[in-house]
Amino acid sequence: MREAYHDQLEELAGRLADMTGMVADAMENATSALLQADLGLAEQVISGDQKVDDVRSSIEEQAYALLALQAPVATDLRTVLAVIHAAESVERMGDLALHVAKAARRRHPAPAVPEDVQPYFAEMGTIATKLARDAAVIIREKDVTRARALEEDDDAMDDIHRHLFSVIMDKEWAHGVAAAVDVTLLGRFYERYGDHAVSVAKRTVFVVTGRMPGYGGDEDL
């Protein structure tokens, strides 16, 4: 019975890792749609968001069933609780990728961001996708060292996000208020995506060590 139970816990963590991979793909595609004004790719991300939501609901249902039927304690309990909280963060990551895709669709056929800031969003998209893919590996392997290192990549995201403010506030900005608002919102979407990826990694540290790490950012991202 205990072996079967632990198999169920591993399956639960594996499904969470799969879901994290889904939102990595979503942000990668949303960034391509944003930079290439690719309406078809934007629509693909938008329609695919429901699948992420459905997976989250299914994961939560499985987790609550384990709580009710198995009454887990110690590490097993931490695993179930961490999965429930992490699934919420991963769903938010999917929502943020959705927002990027909707921005691309809203501005189509024109590019959603001016050409001179596109390299910043390309870099943020690369970082965001890496954060999510690393988080998926961290979940599967329960890699505490890698989880703690994830914050360094998120720091790079924060640096770009802060720099964008100086770009749009510069007197040389020639793209008007609407473009400045778009850049501000989009930068925030990427920054929050990174925060949620770090939050997922922190949940893994909690599972392994029994303590929620206090590195970088709020505890409830």
Side-chain angles (χ1 to χ4, degrees):
M1 284 291 292
R2 295 299 297 175
E3 184 176 346
Y5 172 51
H6 283 113
D7 286 345
Q8 289 178 297
L9 288 175
E10 288 298 321
E11 179 189 354
L12 190 63
R15 295 183 66 200
L16 177 66
D18 290 343
M19 181 183 174
T20 308
M22 291 172 65
V23 301
D25 291 343
M27 183 55 91
E28 185 174 50
N29 289 335
T31 301
S32 294
L34 183 76
L35 298 177
Q36 300 168 18
D38 189 326
L39 181 60
L41 203 52
E43 293 288 3
Q44 179 180 321
V45 174
I46 293 166
S47 63
D49 184 63
Q50 185 59 50
K51 295 179 182 178
V52 175
D53 296 344
D54 291 344
V55 172
R56 186 233 172 144
S57 295
S58 178
I59 286 173
E60 285 192 340
E61 182 178 343
Q62 183 180 357
Y64 286 128
L66 287 172
L67 285 175
L69 300 175
Q70 301 291 346
V73 296
T75 303
D76 293 346
L77 178 60
R78 292 201 301 269
T79 298
V80 177
L81 294 177
V83 166
I84 292 171
H85 286 292
E88 180 180 2
S89 287
V90 176
E91 183 185 23
R92 284 295 301 135
M93 292 165 73
D95 290 340
L96 291 161
L98 172 69
H99 294 334
V100 173
K102 284 184 173 180
R105 182 175 68 177
R106 184 172 63 252
R107 294 301 183 191
H108 187 269
V113 292
E115 184 176 355
D116 52 350
V117 296
Q118 287 184 11
Y120 299 119
F121 285 99
E123 181 64 18
M124 285 194 291
T126 298
I127 294 170
T129 303
K130 182 180 185 302
L131 285 168
R133 298 205 193 287
D134 284 351
V137 174
I138 288 164
I139 293 166
R140 291 189 194 280
E141 299 181 359
K142 296 182 176 62
D143 190 334
V144 171
T145 300
R146 193 166 185 170
R148 295 188 184 280
L150 202 69
E151 190 185 18
E152 294 182 9
D153 283 336
D154 188 48
D155 286 344
M157 178 81 81
D158 293 340
D159 288 343
I160 298 172
H161 181 233
R162 283 190 293 268
H163 181 67
L164 279 173
F165 282 107
S166 66
V167 171
I168 63 176
M169 295 300 293
D170 191 281
K171 63 181 180 180
E172 300 297 325
W173 179 259
H175 307 291
V177 174
V181 170
D182 283 344
V183 168
T184 300
L185 289 175
L186 285 162
R188 179 61 171 165
F189 296 154
Y190 282 93
E191 186 264 341
R192 290 300 293 159
Y193 185 100
D195 285 348
H196 282 291
V198 171
S199 179
V200 171
K202 289 167 72 174
R203 300 292 174 187
T204 300
V205 176
F206 170 67
V207 169
V208 176
T209 68
R211 298 186 62 183
M212 179 65 79
Y215 62 90
D218 299 332
E219 293 299 337
D220 297 318
L221 296 173

